[in-house]
Amino acid sequence: MSSIIDALINSDNLASDLGVGRKGTPQAPNGHSRQRSSPRPQGPPSESNGHLSDAEGFPDDEVVGLRGTDRNRPRNPMDRAVPKVVDEVGEKVAEEFERFLDQFIEDPISSGAPPSSALTSDKYYIAQIHGLRIYNLSTLYVDFQHLMSLKNNALPTAIANDYYRHLPYLTRALHSLIAKYEPRYFKEHRQPTSASSQTNSSVAGNGYSQADSMGEKTTNQQTDKLFTLAFYNLPLVSRIRQLRTGSIGKLLSISGTVTRTSEVRPELYLATFICEGCRNVISNVEQTFRYTEPTQCPNVTCGNRQGWRLDIRQSTFVDWQKVRIQENSSEIPTGSMPRTMDVILRGEIVDRAKAGEKCIFTGTLIVVPDVSQLGLPGVRPEATRDNRNAPRGGDAGGSGVTGLKALGVRDLTYRMAFLACMVTPDTSTPGQAANQQLNGQAGNILASLNQTAPVDPLDPGDHAQEAFLQSLTSSEIEDLKMMVHSDHIYSRLVNSLAPMVYGHEIVKKGLLLQLMGGVSKVTPEGMQLRGDLNICIVGDPSTSKSQFLKYICSFLPRAVYTSGKASSAAGLTAAVVKDEETGEFTIEAGALMLADNGICAIDEFDKMDIGDQVAIHEAMEQQTISIAKAGIQATLNARTSILAAANPVGGRYNRKTTLRANINMSAPIMSRFDLFFVILDECNESVDRHLAEHIVNIHRLRDEAVTPEFTTEQLQRYIRFARTFKPEFTAEARALLVEKYKELRADDAQGGIGRNSYRITVRQLESMIRLSEAIAKANCVEDVTVGFVREAFNLLRQSIISVEKDDVEVDEEEEEELNGVGGGGRGSRDRDGDSPMGDGDNDGDNDDDNQDNNDNGDTRAFATPTATRKTKITYDKYMSILNLLVRRVNEDELTNGEGVEGEELVLWYLEQKEEELNSREEMEAERELVGKVIRRMVKDNILMQIRGEGLVDDDHTSVAAAATAAETEKVVYVLHPNCAVEEM
């Protein structure tokens, strides 16, 4: 028995003396294979796929000798070198994947690359590897559809089903290719997990020395780039709710809305530890989602398990970010709360997802300890190693987890997280299935995968247009060219917007311009001038207000829908919350911040509390949100357009009062809206018939009922292209803008108090500027011309609804008592002389009396049988007569200090209207009308009658005295002291 043991020991010592284990594995002098601890059943990524050479490696690749180790002393017979288990499937996958990357040539017909992009190779992924060096990147983007197009389906199936297991092998295949095609770039950013011999053999023939490429870098500087793979265009996109433990380790795509993003922090990826006991160095210890120390010091005499010091200089760190995503609103089942999940991003894909965006994440599901559960008060359930009675260097695992028996059912809690390797924007509308449909171009992969930053408002338009065109395929570019150069594109876009909603062209124009937006500007002093349009839709019930809001939210990738009554000020702007993991106060974005560079749709705007409405004042004009809470002072961006829908007070819109009286809004908020659309539900036979047919067809035929000219994808593409333009005003347009603004102000001044929906302020001038720029953008032109300004002016005029007033009534009593205006007073005297019961007689008697009176009296202006009937004139007509008469009386009072005689006032008025009167009958009718208006003005305390030395006595004591006075004295009209002339 002892001879067998001796033989084993000698054979182990021989292998360790040679420094080579089985299959050429570099051995540590103690015979242990230098592998990092990993829970996966996999071969070590440190093995390269290339042939091994005996060439000398990098100086720091030498195995550090173990201090104080006596190689010749006899050891435990069970401590022999364990044969390495090779994952043959993994090796085969790596080999196949490397061949795929090396040989794949994309079909030129399906390729999205425009003819102008000069590729360095016709091989798609080799061109991308050259691009890594050119753009200084470290991630290779693999289109899963390319893998699916292979004749043998085994490779994509293996990658999809065992992604986490095969990932080290896939990465190794990538390293091998980069070392083959870009050796110098690979050597400059040497990977800690790649074999040095691979690098050396491929670099050997290139003629530059090692010192050349190494420079003065330390090891951790050489590993500042970790070459990784990113997959996209998976055939299936899962929902967050569908993820179960069966999906752990598989390659998946999930879709969700980002609600919170953490800051970018460094994550320890591969750690190098120094043993505190014997100063032994253990490098490349893989971290499994938490701080992982070596189990035991490899030095036999040391056996240290606890005392480790992290050597930061020799360790590898990567960028790390945690993103919280929530189910898309269209995917939540009935009566369920939206589920959330944490997504971990590493390397180059950090900061690709912003709060509020709908994104598709590709990666795998992993299990991590639930830190928030560990932080709960009470007895903390934690994994502890029992080292109290363990002998030094005893069994490798200790006695496992202890201290949990007293907790009953409570145990260590774990939760699932998603480790993403790729983030892409989700542009699908809620009705569609989420799909990526990305067409990467090997020449400029980041632009073509929509991975570039959003358009900077200060950039010139040409750069933005080039960047956008790079992200399109050649067929999409042709389609866009055809749309841009076609005729009447503005009206055709309007007709294609919200096709399910019948009519309302004016509202659709406003929504299209809101999607386009004006041009944001920054003054030399740094003041921001907003370019976003704010629109408010006010209307009767069932006029499809909410449909417009829902359509915009589904159409625009970055749009947030909220309801007024259910939204608080903090929910709209930003809330300060305590982070569950760190315990610090952080800012949680509200609806306006989530809709940054998009549209925030607020339904039931009139139901919002006044205090909550005040919270969005700053966001609507300055486009920022300022916070000073819980020790956090911050000013956050909210460059969003607001689309609000409001119901009138009392349910239906009352045309006889102002817009301000119809909706429950303060004047400051109203002035911040660029456009108000008032939708009235009026009965009209032809409109009702067409509307009913449209709705019935939609219920019967659904999608086939409407055939818009442009699809949603075409509209989205056109609008994204149009937004890159920065139009400027021509000189003529500038002059017309000033004229139109003066015209609006003049109308506002003439109308008197509250005649218009709201007062015209300088904000309406800025609205006209923004609307003109948006119309120019919709036409994809660089100049704002006169026609665009006129269109903007008409839109603004249509949103200013003139208030309708009740018709003004003048009855027979006013007409009869109008002494002095017509010249004679006998009819009036006879009327006054009647008994009081005469007022209550029927109309026929009154007609007879009045007819007799008229026969006996002088020829008067109102000598017609219809004079006794109540006369109605429109409010506008009444106000025009009133304004003329008041102006004349006021001028006379200012010049000679006296009023105007009644007859003279009537004659003057008829002279003013002379051109409008075509016959004697019209003149008599107008004369009669102005007499009634004057009497009404006296009744309304606008004019006063003065006869002789004082006022007219209404209660005449003596009929004879009254008659004498009427015949001897002329009636003079002066302004009533309470009449506000400046408001007329």
Side-chain angles (χ1 to χ4, degrees):
M1 187 69 175
S2 61
S3 62
I4 296 173
I5 292 172
D6 289 342
L8 280 171
I9 291 172
N10 291 334
S11 66
D12 281 354
N13 285 338
L14 180 67
S16 60
D17 285 340
L18 292 173
V20 178
R22 301 185 183 213
K23 299 194 78 158
T25 312
Q27 294 288 308
N30 64 350
H32 286 294
S33 173
R34 280 182 67 241
Q35 295 304 323
R36 50 175 208 239
S37 57
S38 169
R40 314 181 195 136
Q42 65 185 31
S46 58
E47 280 295 298
S48 108
N49 210 24
H51 66 277
L52 287 168
S53 78
D54 296 326
E56 197 174 28
F58 289 95
D60 51 1
D61 282 333
E62 295 171 14
V63 179
V64 179
L66 300 182
R67 300 178 187 179
T69 308
D70 182 6
R71 285 192 196 168
N72 297 322
R73 85 182 235 203
R75 290 182 315 200
N76 187 343
M78 303 307 293
D79 210 13
R80 64 184 182 277
V82 181
K84 188 186 71 174
V85 178
V86 178
D87 186 352
E88 293 179 3
V89 179
E91 296 287 349
K92 182 70 177 166
V93 165
E95 189 182 320
E96 287 291 325
F97 187 66
E98 185 175 347
R99 188 180 302 125
F100 159 74
L101 290 181
D102 199 2
Q103 297 176 358
F104 182 79
I105 299 175
E106 192 178 27
D107 180 13
I109 299 166
S110 66
S111 167
S116 61
S117 65
L119 297 181
T120 50
S121 163
D122 61 339
K123 295 180 178 176
Y124 186 87
Y125 292 104
I126 303 307
Q128 221 190 105
I129 286 174
H130 293 310
L132 293 183
R133 178 184 55 78
I134 296 166
Y135 297 110
N136 205 22
L137 301 174
S138 63
T139 306
L140 186 83
Y141 297 92
V142 180
D143 190 340
F144 205 75
Q145 296 298 327
H146 294 171
L147 281 166
M148 304 271 284
S149 67
L150 296 175
K151 291 177 184 172
N152 185 358
N153 213 17
L155 181 61
T157 308
I159 292 175
N161 290 340
D162 284 324
Y163 170 74
Y164 201 57
R165 169 187 169 189
H166 296 319
L167 185 59
Y169 295 95
L170 300 176
T171 311
R172 204 176 68 200
L174 172 66
H175 291 171
S176 172
L177 275 180
I178 297 177
K180 179 179 175 185
Y181 288 100
E182 289 289 347
R184 178 158 193 157
Y185 186 62
F186 184 70
K187 196 169 181 182
E188 284 172 1
H189 306 287
R190 200 191 47 147
Q191 305 301 296
T193 53
S194 69
S196 55
S197 56
Q198 159 83 45
T199 320
N200 249 338
S201 59
S202 54
V203 172
N206 282 308
Y208 37 78
S209 68
Q210 197 170 307
D212 231 10
S213 65
M214 295 283 285
E216 297 298 315
K217 295 182 174 181
T218 59
T219 33
N220 65 312
Q221 285 174 314
Q222 293 160 29
T223 58
D224 59 349
K225 282 193 172 18
L226 288 167
F227 293 119
T228 53
L229 289 161
F231 293 91
Y232 64 97
N233 269 358
L234 264 70
L236 187 69
V237 178
S238 309
R239 298 180 178 184
I240 297 174
R241 198 172 283 270
Q242 296 168 343
L243 299 180
R244 297 285 183 270
T245 49
S247 307
I248 293 173
K250 294 184 177 179
L251 185 63
L252 302 166
S253 284
I254 59 171
S255 173
T257 306
V258 180
T259 55
R260 191 193 295 183
T261 57
S262 75
E263 60 189 4
V264 177
R265 299 202 284 266
E267 182 194 24
L268 184 61
Y269 182 67
L270 293 169
T272 299
F273 289 99
I274 298 174
C275 171
E276 294 278 20
C278 63
R279 316 300 296 162
N280 188 14
V281 176
I282 302 175
S283 57
N284 291 349
V285 177
E286 187 179 7
Q287 304 295 300
T288 53
F289 307 112
R290 59 194 176 86
Y291 186 62
T292 309
E293 292 181 340
T295 336
Q296 184 178 2
C297 179
N299 189 347
V300 182
T301 55
C302 176
N304 169 36
R305 290 174 179 277
Q306 286 181 310
W308 302 104
R309 192 175 84 239
L310 178 69
D311 186 358
I312 293 178
R313 203 175 63 83
Q314 303 292 339
S315 300
T316 305
F317 292 84
V318 291
D319 288 330
W320 177 94
Q321 186 183 29
K322 191 172 77 174
V323 168
R324 175 161 296 173
I325 63 170
Q326 182 177 300
E327 264 185 303
N328 295 324
S329 54
S330 57
E331 297 171 359
I332 303 171
T334 312
S336 300
M337 293 292 289
R339 299 264 173 96
T340 58
M341 175 162 279
D342 286 337
V343 177
I344 295 169
L345 307 177
R346 281 179 175 160
E348 280 179 358
I349 60 166
V350 298
D351 262 354
R352 292 264 177 88
K354 304 284 189 300
E357 288 178 350
K358 267 178 71 178
C359 294
I360 293 176
F361 297 88
T362 305
T364 185
L365 203 60
I366 56 172
V367 173
V368 291
D370 192 351
V371 182
S372 60
Q373 291 292 327
L374 296 175
L376 289 174
V379 183
R380 291 187 180 176
E382 37 186 37
T384 56
R385 184 177 283 124
D386 188 4
N387 293 310
R388 286 169 298 184
N389 304 319
R392 191 172 168 84
D395 54 337
S399 57
V401 175
T402 61
L404 294 175
K405 293 184 179 64
L407 296 173
V409 292
R410 279 188 82 182
D411 202 344
L412 273 177
T413 46
Y414 291 89
R415 62 195 169 97
M416 290 196 289
F418 195 80
L419 179 64
C421 64
M422 179 69 172
V423 181
T424 52
D426 184 2
T427 55
S428 58
T429 55
Q432 302 172 326
N435 57 347
Q436 288 168 288
Q437 295 298 329
L438 293 172
N439 298 297
Q441 299 169 14
N444 190 352
I445 192 77
L446 282 186
S448 59
L449 295 182
N450 299 327
Q451 300 293 299
T452 46
V455 177
D456 186 6
L458 303 179
D459 269 2
D462 299 343
H463 292 292
Q465 285 162 30
E466 283 172 24
F468 174 66
L469 289 174
Q470 279 178 337
S471 69
L472 301 180
T473 65
S474 48
S475 58
E476 287 172 342
I477 291 174
E478 286 303 315
D479 184 45
L480 191 63
K481 272 185 189 167
M482 187 195 71
M483 287 177 73
V484 169
H485 295 304
S486 59
D487 295 332
H488 308 297
I489 184 68
Y490 175 57
S491 55
R492 288 160 60 199
L493 288 171
V494 170
N495 292 331
S496 299
L497 205 67
M500 288 290 178
V501 180
Y502 176 78
H504 298 313
E505 266 77 21
I506 301 297
V507 183
K508 289 181 183 179
K509 272 185 187 176
L511 293 181
L512 177 69
L513 298 184
Q514 187 177 36
L515 289 168
M516 297 289 177
V519 179
S520 298
K521 306 174 189 75
V522 181
T523 62
E525 300 87 39
M527 213 166 85
Q528 301 273 352
L529 300 176
R530 75 176 164 102
D532 297 306
L533 289 159
N534 297 325
I535 292 180
C536 183
I537 304 175
V538 184
D540 297 337
S542 80
T543 47
S544 66
K545 298 187 298 295
S546 298
Q547 289 299 325
F548 280 125
L549 269 62
K550 288 282 188 187
Y551 173 80
I552 291 295
C553 288
S554 66
F555 179 84
L556 206 65
R558 203 173 173 84
V560 178
Y561 180 90
T562 61
S563 181
K565 194 63 181 172
S567 304
S568 65
L572 280 171
T573 52
V576 175
V577 292
K578 203 171 210 174
D579 189 19
E580 57 185 22
E581 292 188 3
T582 61
E584 296 174 357
F585 284 107
T586 57
I587 293 174
E588 181 135 350
L592 291 171
M593 278 178 64
L594 293 180
D596 194 21
N597 288 319
I599 289 179
C600 180
I602 307 177
D603 208 352
E604 310 291 350
F605 194 72
D606 54 312
K607 312 287 191 307
M608 278 176 70
D609 296 334
I610 299 296
D612 297 339
Q613 281 189 7
V614 172
I616 64 175
H617 274 206
E618 181 191 4
M620 285 181 78
E621 194 58 46
Q622 278 75 41
Q623 300 207 301
T624 54
I625 292 168
S626 301
I627 279 188
K629 293 178 188 173
I632 295 177
Q633 277 88 27
T635 301
L636 313 162
N637 283 327
R639 295 157 301 203
T640 174
S641 306
I642 288 183
L643 175 61
N647 282 321
V649 175
R652 297 189 80 81
Y653 192 87
N654 180 9
R655 297 197 65 155
K656 296 190 171 66
T657 57
T658 61
L659 181 66
R660 173 81 190 282
N662 266 295
I663 46 177
N664 184 22
M665 267 192 230
S666 60
I669 281 225
M670 286 184 67
S671 71
R672 282 171 163 81
F673 280 108
D674 296 282
L675 290 175
F676 274 95
F677 291 116
V678 178
I679 308 178
L680 301 175
D681 184 13
E682 294 174 331
C683 296
N684 181 321
E685 188 188 347
S686 69
V687 172
D688 291 346
R689 186 177 72 252
H690 286 113
L691 178 59
E693 286 172 358
H694 176 79
I695 290 172
V696 169
N697 283 338
I698 284 178
H699 281 273
R700 195 165 59 91
L701 305 171
R702 291 182 177 80
D703 286 350
E704 297 165 13
V706 287
T707 51
E709 185 178 355
F710 302 124
T711 63
T712 303
E713 288 77 18
Q714 283 177 305
L715 272 177
Q716 286 173 330
R717 204 179 306 130
Y718 185 89
I719 287 172
R720 278 170 58 204
F721 178 65
R723 284 178 71 100
T724 59
F725 282 85
K726 303 281 174 70
E728 293 183 356
F729 282 88
T730 60
E732 298 84 12
R734 259 178 262 162
L736 184 67
L737 206 57
V738 175
E739 286 301 316
K740 293 296 183 187
Y741 174 64
K742 280 162 63 181
E743 190 178 321
L744 280 175
R745 286 288 283 186
D747 287 355
D748 198 30
Q750 282 177 8
I753 285 189
R755 283 290 289 121
N756 283 334
S757 308
Y758 50 89
R759 298 306 299 266
I760 303 296
T761 62
V762 183
R763 281 193 176 136
Q764 272 62 51
L765 173 63
E766 290 189 334
S767 299
M768 239 187 325
I769 293 172
R770 282 190 285 269
L771 287 167
S772 307
E773 289 169 344
I775 295 168
K777 280 185 176 183
N779 288 286
C780 286
V781 292
E782 296 285 357
D783 291 324
V784 182
T785 59
V786 171
F788 298 157
V789 175
R790 285 208 180 90
E791 171 71 17
F793 174 73
N794 292 336
L795 263 176
L796 202 60
R797 279 298 287 270
Q798 277 161 343
S799 75
I800 302 170
I801 290 224
S802 292
V803 180
E804 288 189 354
K805 292 286 186 181
D806 283 334
D807 293 343
V808 180
E809 290 185 358
V810 280
D811 57 20
E812 78 282 354
E813 182 187 355
E814 295 168 357
E815 173 261 307
E816 290 292 345
E817 293 181 357
L818 199 61
N819 296 325
V821 173
R826 273 198 200 166
S828 179
R829 181 190 62 204
D830 292 346
R831 183 81 178 86
D832 289 340
D834 280 346
S835 65
M837 291 299 291
D839 289 342
D841 289 345
N842 60 34
D843 289 346
D845 294 341
N846 280 343
D847 283 348
D848 294 339
D849 293 345
N850 285 329
Q851 190 63 47
D852 294 338
N853 292 339
N854 290 338
D855 290 344
N856 296 336
D858 296 336
T859 311
R860 299 191 327 181
F862 353 98
T864 55
T866 56
T868 54
R869 287 208 302 270
K870 289 188 178 180
T871 308
K872 279 191 178 182
I873 57 171
T874 63
Y875 184 82
D876 289 339
K877 172 86 170 167
Y878 175 72
M879 288 304 291
S880 67
I881 299 175
L882 181 142
N883 282 332
L884 272 173
L885 297 178
V886 168
R887 195 173 74 198
R888 170 64 202 267
V889 174
N890 189 37
E891 284 173 1
D892 276 30
E893 278 193 15
L894 292 175
T895 51
N896 54 26
E898 297 177 0
V900 186
E901 290 183 8
E903 188 67 28
E904 187 185 340
L905 191 58
V906 174
L907 288 173
W908 176 83
Y909 173 78
L910 293 174
E911 284 170 9
Q912 303 300 314
K913 297 286 182 181
E914 192 173 358
E915 292 178 1
E916 299 174 18
L917 305 173
N918 299 321
S919 64
R920 185 176 177 81
E921 287 77 16
E922 284 184 18
M923 191 193 76
E924 291 295 336
E926 194 74 18
R927 185 188 185 101
E928 175 188 348
L929 185 63
V930 73
K932 293 181 179 181
V933 171
I934 290 174
R935 180 62 187 142
R936 172 70 190 240
M937 289 166 68
V938 172
K939 189 176 174 185
D940 289 347
N941 289 342
I942 295 171
L943 295 180
M944 281 170 47
Q945 287 178 329
I946 296 180
R947 187 179 290 132
E949 297 298 319
L951 296 174
V952 173
D953 186 7
D954 286 338
D955 300 320
H956 302 301
T957 52
S958 164
V959 177
T964 310
E967 287 167 358
T968 54
E969 298 290 343
K970 295 278 187 186
V971 176
V972 176
Y973 290 98
V974 294
L975 286 179
H976 196 281
N978 292 342
C979 173
V981 182
E982 63 276 0
E983 291 181 5
M984 292 296 174

